Amino acid sequence: QPDFDQFVRFCEEEGRALDFDALEKYLHHSVTEQRVKYSTFNRRAAGVQFFLKDMLGLEQTEGEKKRIQIIRQLYNTEEYLRLKPMRGVRAEKQEEVIALINKYDTSKRADIRKRAICFVNLITANRPSEMVRLKVNDFDLDNKTVWVMLKKQGDMKEKRLTLDCVLAVKKYIETSRLSPDDYFVGAADKWGNYKNRMITERSYNRLIHDWLGFAPYTLRKTQITHMHRKKADLATIAKQSGHKSHQTIMEHYI
């Protein structure tokens, strides 16, 4: 939707109709004027094509497909080749990440909240979309587990927690006086006073970056890599990370 909205604004500024001819101009502009990365180009192309075909009912000709492919080939030229590499999130050593998280092992309410949230994100290898949707009653702390809503897959999955993670969660629930139906992350002021509302994924990304110095996907990648190094099999890793495809784990994480 955001990619299509951006395309609509481009067409309005250029006085163009919403069609595949305008898409070609938009994608060419994306490369030559905006100099977007190759991955962004592909996302824009796929997103706008979907809306034009499935939502507006337009048909794309073979000639239009070939012209978009020609624009895509600009990334193979010297001028735009530096925009092509994918720079993924790197994994860190789990013990170093835990040391970073434990800097919030204090008696301050704000620190207790930060430590619990970061610990859960690390051990569960949750996506940001899963973290912001967690509720207190999703946790079964006696059995060291938590049920996670996998928005991407439309499913609920049980994940394991470590003892240190359980203790951090208990401390957070007690000090912030959370109710079973409260969002686990929720919102908070600078003093750590909790507010029961679901924050956006973008806000969550910003929080983790402010607290630890990197994006939440680093926690996810770190945990998956750590499990692999500890000889966990792919089925176990997939269950904890919420992946359906073992191939995805091998290609993008391990």
Side-chain angles (χ1 to χ4, degrees):
Q1 182 69 53
D3 287 309
F4 185 69
D5 291 344
Q6 193 166 299
F7 169 66
V8 170
R9 287 194 295 272
F10 172 82
C11 290
E12 290 173 347
E13 292 170 0
E14 295 282 319
R16 298 181 182 277
L18 297 177
D19 56 24
F20 287 102
D21 182 63
L23 175 59
E24 293 172 29
K25 306 296 188 299
Y26 173 62
L27 293 176
H28 188 269
H29 174 81
S30 295
V31 182
T32 59
E33 299 297 327
Q34 296 182 324
R35 300 185 72 86
V36 301
K37 292 182 180 179
Y38 184 60
S39 56
T40 302
F41 175 93
N42 285 328
R43 192 192 69 235
R44 287 183 177 183
V48 176
Q49 282 173 322
F50 168 79
F51 271 90
L52 291 177
K53 289 163 59 178
D54 291 54
M55 308 303 288
L56 300 184
L58 301 180
E59 289 295 328
Q60 188 176 22
T61 67
E62 288 301 314
E64 288 167 339
K65 290 179 183 178
K66 288 180 181 178
R67 287 194 292 274
I68 288 178
Q69 186 58 32
I70 291 171
I71 297 171
R72 182 179 280 109
Q73 289 171 2
L74 286 172
Y75 286 100
N76 295 330
T77 64
E78 184 176 349
E79 185 174 356
Y80 303 106
L81 198 58
R82 285 186 174 86
L83 299 173
K84 199 171 182 180
M86 294 282 287
R87 293 179 172 86
V89 175
R90 59 171 291 185
E92 303 290 346
K93 291 182 179 179
Q94 196 201 55
E95 58 269 25
E96 293 179 0
V97 172
I98 290 176
L100 273 177
I101 294 172
N102 280 336
K103 72 182 180 180
Y104 295 114
D105 190 7
T106 74
S107 59
K108 295 179 181 178
R109 185 183 299 173
D111 286 352
I112 292 170
R113 173 175 177 263
K114 293 173 186 177
R115 183 168 180 263
I117 291 170
C118 292
F119 236 132
V120 169
N121 200 158
L122 174 65
I123 300 303
T124 60
N126 277 347
R127 303 173 179 91
S129 62
E130 296 157 5
M131 286 300 299
V132 299
R133 286 170 172 78
L134 271 184
K135 291 201 170 187
V136 174
N137 58 15
D138 291 328
F139 289 87
D140 182 354
L141 298 179
D142 290 336
N143 291 310
K144 299 200 289 276
T145 59
V146 60
W147 283 93
V148 177
M149 182 185 293
L150 306 185
K151 181 192 172 189
K152 189 175 180 180
Q153 299 175 10
D155 200 2
M156 296 289 292
K157 290 290 183 182
E158 187 181 49
K159 297 190 179 187
R160 301 290 301 172
L161 302 173
T162 63
L163 179 58
D164 285 342
C165 183
V166 167
L167 294 175
V169 172
K170 283 183 176 179
K171 192 173 181 180
Y172 170 40
I173 292 173
E174 291 168 2
T175 56
S176 293
R177 298 178 182 177
L178 302 184
S179 300
D181 201 44
D182 285 344
Y183 284 103
F184 176 69
V185 175
D189 58 27
K190 62 181 179 180
W191 297 283
N193 296 313
Y194 174 87
K195 297 178 181 178
N196 182 30
R197 64 177 176 83
M198 189 178 80
I199 64 172
T200 65
E201 294 172 38
R202 178 175 293 182
S203 295
Y204 182 75
N205 284 331
R206 189 166 57 246
L207 282 181
I208 297 299
H209 202 282
D210 288 345
W211 297 346
L212 300 177
F214 47 67
Y217 261 92
T218 298
L219 296 172
R220 178 171 170 81
K221 195 156 192 175
T222 295
Q223 180 65 4
I224 292 172
T225 305
H226 175 76
M227 292 179 72
H228 174 65
R229 287 172 179 162
K230 290 294 183 178
K231 310 300 181 186
D233 58 41
L234 283 179
T236 302
I237 296 173
K239 184 176 181 182
Q240 188 72 356
S241 63
H243 278 108
K244 279 187 175 181
S245 169
H246 292 184
Q247 183 179 355
T248 299
I249 298 173
M250 291 301 298
E251 288 183 357
H252 298 286
Y253 291 87
I254 296 172

